[in-house]
Amino acid sequence: MTDHNSIISFPITLRHEHRLIFTRDVFGADNDTLLEVLTAHEPGEGVQAMVFWDAGLETAFPGIGDRIAHWFAARGRRVRLAAAPIPVPGGEAAKNDFHHVEKVWSAIHAAGLCRHSYVIAVGGGAVLDMVGFAASTAHRGIPLVRLPTTSLSQGDGGVGVKNGVNFFGKKNWVGSFVIPHAIVNDLAFLPGLPLRDRRAGLIEAVKVALIRSAEFFEFIASRVDALARFEPEPFEAVIRESARQHIEHIATAGDPFERGSTRPLDFGHWSAHKLEQMSAFALSHGEAVAIGMALDLVYARRSGLLPEPLAERILEVLQRLGFALYTPLLAQRGPDGRSVLLHGLDEFREHMGGRLTIPMIRAPGDRLDLHTIDATLIAAALDELKARYA
């Protein structure tokens, strides 16, 4: 034996498959897409699952809970529900009250679900986040199948690997990174959404286009009026491509669990997250992102990064899609006289690991990272937004 320090090290490599399946009418009598996803752990074994669904779906799809139950009952020889489908609150309320996580844990515990079972989350991004976090921490992780039902979750948040709930008044302060067992996008949910929720997914599509693909941005810009009318063919095409772009980035960009200090797909998000909090979540995520992107576009133009004609064209696209690009919240100041919004920079830095990293663009598809932000230019950009769009 020696007194010298020693290190024992072995690499651990895990292979994950990040799967997204598009279908229509997933709980239709003849649709077995979900059945093919719920594979048994061992050949010949039955499969046990629990379904948590967004209670807000009942308005647009009356009887959705019973329809889910009937779909499983018709396939009871291969997959069994451990309990009747459980409704949970939708919207940001699902993430603002930790008791909802505890209720999901309690239901999983009461049903005796194990790590070879499945949790299925059906709903918008907030429900997927909350239920996903509960599933990822029950028994240290029960496989999760996501069924996003909103344009925002089908094109962006629901196809990712993040789960989380809000805590300490901060967005997604508690959460986990877990690659879901599968994601199933049922396009039949989209026409039933309220207009506000249908529009929300378009802003994240513009965002990912600006960050990753000039070609995708041109596709959106050339169809902007049809998209504003939610014409099915271009609308579904944009949601599909937005989802593909997000999944490709997660799988191939080298940092799926965000261990670095950058979140390149979060253009416009540093202020959007703060605006959601400042509005007590009266502003939806999509609405806040639209304003946050407008702020960053004006900042990029004023700082000489983004040519004025490009900035104006992108801002016009956002407006023609139907997004407001200003809120009086932008003018709020704290007791210290400092813009309340600028506290969002500090929270973004903390959330990302200590180093401020803000994604910005020089042109659609041409991204760079900024590690400092000029408060004077931000103030000028805020004044400009007020003058132009208030």
Side-chain angles (χ1 to χ4, degrees), residues 130-186:
M130 185 274 289
V131 174
F133 172 65
S136 72
T137 46
H139 293 305
R140 297 195 180 111
I142 296 174
L144 174 72
V145 177
R146 291 180 174 178
L147 269 71
T149 59
T150 64
S151 64
L152 187 65
S153 59
Q154 288 197 10
D156 178 15
V159 302
V161 298
K162 294 184 282 191
N163 309 288
V165 293
N166 307 329
F167 217 74
F168 300 121
K170 296 179 180 179
K171 193 167 175 75
N172 297 325
W173 197 88
V174 180
S176 59
F177 288 93
V178 177
I179 296 171
H181 178 73
I183 305 149
V184 180
N185 272 357
D186 180 354

Side-chain angles (χ1 to χ4, degrees), residues 279-304:
S279 74
F281 298 96
L283 275 178
S284 72
H285 181 68
E287 291 162 344
V289 168
I291 295 167
M293 284 174 55
L295 175 60
D296 282 359
L297 288 165
V298 172
Y299 181 92
R301 192 207 72 223
R302 284 181 168 268
S303 62

Side-chain angles (χ1 to χ4, degrees), residues 101-298:
V101 175
E102 294 174 332
K103 288 177 181 177
V104 174
W105 281 336
S106 295
I108 290 172
H109 176 258
L113 227 58
C114 71
R115 294 178 66 184
H116 294 167
S117 309
Y118 293 95
V119 168
I120 302 166
V122 184
V127 167
L128 302 182
D129 266 358
M130 185 274 289
V131 174
F133 172 65
S136 72
T137 46
H139 293 305
R140 297 195 180 111
I142 296 174
L144 174 72
V145 177
R146 291 180 174 178
L147 269 71
T149 59
T150 64
S151 64
L152 187 65
S153 59
Q154 288 197 10
D156 178 15
V159 302
V161 298
K162 294 184 282 191
N163 309 288
V165 293
N166 307 329
F167 217 74
F168 300 121
K170 296 179 180 179
K171 193 167 175 75
N172 297 325
W173 197 88
V174 180
S176 59
F177 288 93
V178 177
I179 296 171
H181 178 73
I183 305 149
V184 180
N185 272 357
D186 180 354
L187 294 168
F189 280 116
L190 299 182
L193 297 173
L195 297 184
R196 183 189 190 197
D197 294 336
R198 259 185 275 178
R199 184 175 294 113
L202 295 175
I203 196 64
E204 295 287 5
V206 175
K207 175 213 70 178
V208 77
L210 292 177
I211 291 295
R212 287 178 51 87
S213 172
E215 181 181 3
F216 186 28
F217 177 74
E218 290 303 323
F219 182 92
I220 294 170
S222 65
R223 295 161 177 80
V224 64
D225 294 326
L227 289 168
R229 294 190 297 267
F230 309 110
E231 293 183 9
E233 186 175 348
F235 186 70
E236 289 185 5
V238 164
I239 297 302
R240 283 177 179 270
E241 179 60 14
S242 178
R244 192 196 69 78
Q245 290 278 352
H246 279 89
I247 279 197
E248 181 181 46
H249 176 83
I250 292 165
T252 65
D255 191 17
F257 296 160
E258 296 178 1
R259 290 175 178 162
S261 294
T262 181
R263 276 211 312 224
L265 294 184
D266 273 4
F267 179 58
H269 280 56
W270 73 266
S271 54
H273 287 169
K274 190 64 182 177
L275 284 171
E276 287 180 82
Q277 296 167 24
M278 291 166 65
S279 74
F281 298 96
L283 275 178
S284 72
H285 181 68
E287 291 162 344
V289 168
I291 295 167
M293 284 174 55
L295 175 60
D296 282 359
L297 288 165
V298 172

